[in-house]
Amino acid sequence: MTPTSPWEGAPATAPRATAATTGQAGAAGPAPALLVTGASLLGERTVDLLVEDGRVARLQDAGTLSAPAGATVLDAAGQVLLPGLVDLHTHLREPGREDAETIATGSAAAAAGGYTAVLAMANTAPVTDTAEAAERVLDLGRAAGLVDVQPIGAVTKGLDGAELAELGLMRRSRAAVRVFSDDGRCVADGRVMRRALEYVRAFGGVVSQHAQDPDLAGPGACCHEGELSGRLGLPGWPAAAEASIIARDAELARLTGSRVHVAHVTTAEGLAAVRAAKARGTDLTCEVTPHHLMLTTDLLTGYDPVYKVNPPLRPEADARALREALADGTIDAVATDHAPHARHDKEHAFVDAAFGMTGLETALAVVAETMVTTGLLDWAGVARVMSTTPAAIAGLADHGRVEVGAPANLVLLDPAASTTVDRERSHSLARNTPFHGRTLTGAVRSTVLRGRLTATTPETSETPEVHPC
Ligand SMILES: [Zn+2]
């Protein structure tokens, strides 16, 4: 039987005959066997791993497996093996802004960054607020053949904040939408948020909230409200705009018995609201972006629009609180908020430039740098926050684990390799990375989607190659 959605099982069609000799991914079906040797699984034990028919067939101590005839062999000595990364928050811009990103180019950036699944945000043009729109995103993702692209549905029609979108029809569509968000905007009307939560509860869905009270974060706000925003003459968002919505939504989750996910939490005040909700047993999860873990509001002193992002960069005290909260489990997941923009939308005076940063290709290295080299997380912890928990929140059963019988969705990284980020070598169409010129430690070596190599980076190169179908 042909699966109706990538989340319901691996396709089982004939492998492509040339895949073993070229090392190229074949989207037509599971690749020939793949043997990974000497990899450090979750940084804990050294293993050999054999992939057959797109699934993990054997997983045992290093040096105990040999390659079947025709298998591709990856010598992964010194490399860490994690489940393929899952991004709960990606903007792919298609349909409507294909000059900024397409589903194909965003998928390439994702594969290069170690991702095997991304959730595509709904604020495209037109908005993903119908079953047909969601299925179109799913189909374009499959055609690109590099990562599983799972559409997020809008909460309200056209993101208008007033009338619920076709939540049930999107859920029952081929795209089997489980996550709904008006991201870019907050579902500010408490009555609308309540109704959305009641609706998605019926099918185990979740509402991902851009927690930012628009009445407190007034028009023109473009940075963190504080001493620096006053000095720079830029209108700011107070931390209370985030914390107040998180607290309200936690109450609505309790009232409805439904699930809330807080997108890109950024402040210590917001974390306090998350902690209070979790302490009461509320069904609430939250995510943090790599850029909010590493970058802080003082970067704005040069008015460089590459640092303009929504929600804004916060002071170091908040960034430290986010890192500690990710380490102690208050924050459940890392999500990129990959927000590609065409140059002509980003290269303006700070107040006029578009909000957002790209992030798919640098996320793993930024997490390695901020969380692993500092001793806050080990690699098993990275797997939890960048793969296993995001897959669970989104209901993606094919992702988030490395175990015998599971689909072979994997990433191999060299924790010691350092890479200087060069925006011109990005697979994204966009160039708005805040990390351009920075040297980051930790490089993706191979990404594997259902046994197919979707990205590889030779040890002699800093630039991943991607292998679309
Ligand atoms: Zn976003």
Side-chain angles (χ1 to χ4, degrees), residues 89 91 121 183-184 264 337:
H89 193 144
H91 296 274
M121 272 297 173
D183 181 62
H264 41 46
D337 197 6

Side-chain angles (χ1 to χ4, degrees), residues 98-464:
E98 291 85 351
D99 57 328
E101 192 81 287
T102 67
I103 288 174
T105 59
S107 293
Y115 286 88
T116 52
V118 300
L119 280 90
M121 272 297 173
N123 63 339
T124 46
V127 170
T128 307
D129 58 4
T130 64
E132 295 71 28
E135 289 179 350
R136 175 99 177 121
V137 170
L138 179 80
D139 291 341
L140 287 167
R142 283 180 174 172
L146 284 163
V147 291
D148 284 341
V149 176
Q150 169 65 16
I152 291 176
V155 177
T156 62
K157 286 184 180 170
L159 309 182
D160 69 0
E163 194 180 349
L164 286 188
E166 299 173 353
L167 308 181
L169 290 176
M170 286 191 272
R171 175 67 187 96
R172 289 194 294 276
S173 74
R174 283 189 292 111
V177 177
R178 286 188 178 84
V179 182
F180 298 86
S181 182
D182 278 359
D183 181 62
R185 298 183 189 173
C186 180
V187 181
D189 185 316
R191 196 175 51 90
V192 172
M193 186 67 175
R194 176 185 180 174
R195 285 181 50 223
L197 287 169
E198 285 169 345
Y199 210 108
V200 303
R201 183 188 55 189
F203 52 76
V206 60
V207 176
S208 174
Q209 173 71 292
H210 187 135
Q212 192 175 66
D213 182 341
D215 293 328
L216 284 171
C222 60
C223 68
H224 171 72
E225 180 183 293
E227 184 269 328
L228 187 68
S229 64
R231 194 145 49 85
L232 297 175
L234 298 171
W237 279 276
E242 178 174 284
S244 59
I245 293 292
I246 295 173
R248 183 204 71 177
D249 286 354
E251 293 302 320
L252 293 177
R254 293 182 67 78
L255 176 67
T256 59
S258 192
R259 290 170 62 204
V260 168
H261 177 74
V262 182
H264 41 46
V265 64
T266 61
T267 60
E269 291 87 343
L271 289 170
V274 169
R275 285 197 175 95
K278 289 190 169 190
R280 297 177 69 201
T282 309
D283 201 351
L284 177 142
T285 53
C286 68
E287 69 189 33
V288 65
T289 73
H291 51 266
H292 287 109
L293 292 172
M294 181 181 272
L295 307 178
T296 53
T297 198
D298 50 283
L299 289 163
L300 268 51
T301 53
Y303 295 97
D304 184 342
V306 81
Y307 300 116
K308 182 177 175 182
V309 66
N310 180 6
L313 299 180
R314 303 291 187 179
E316 173 57 25
D318 289 297
R320 191 182 323 117
L322 293 170
R323 295 190 292 268
E324 288 167 358
L326 184 59
D328 73 20
T330 302
I331 296 176
D332 302 274
V334 171
T336 67
D337 197 6
H338 176 80
H341 287 293
R343 282 186 200 268
H344 60 269
D345 290 324
K346 198 63 177 167
E347 294 182 353
H348 284 283
F350 192 88
V351 290
D352 298 323
F355 290 102
M357 304 167 166
T358 59
L360 286 167
E361 289 159 295
T362 48
L364 185 55
V366 171
V367 170
E369 190 119 347
T370 54
M371 301 299 297
V372 181
T373 63
T374 54
L376 287 166
L377 277 185
D378 56 17
W379 289 110
V382 173
R384 185 179 74 247
V385 299
M386 296 190 78
S387 180
T388 308
T389 302
I393 290 170
L396 305 186
D398 278 5
H399 297 267
R401 58 209 165 102
V402 183
E403 58 192 43
V404 172
N409 295 320
L410 314 166
V411 59
L412 287 156
L413 67 119
D414 182 344
S418 62
T419 307
T420 301
V421 179
D422 180 350
R423 62 189 169 210
E424 301 307 329
R425 292 201 303 244
S426 175
H427 289 280
S428 170
L429 276 186
R431 295 291 174 261
N432 54 306
T433 170
F435 301 109
H436 178 66
R438 285 199 190 220
T439 298
L440 300 173
T441 302
V444 171
R445 289 288 175 230
S446 304
T447 311
V448 177
L449 177 68
R450 292 193 185 85
R452 298 187 297 111
L453 277 165
T454 53
T456 49
T457 314
E459 267 184 58
T460 51
S461 170
E462 291 194 341
T463 306

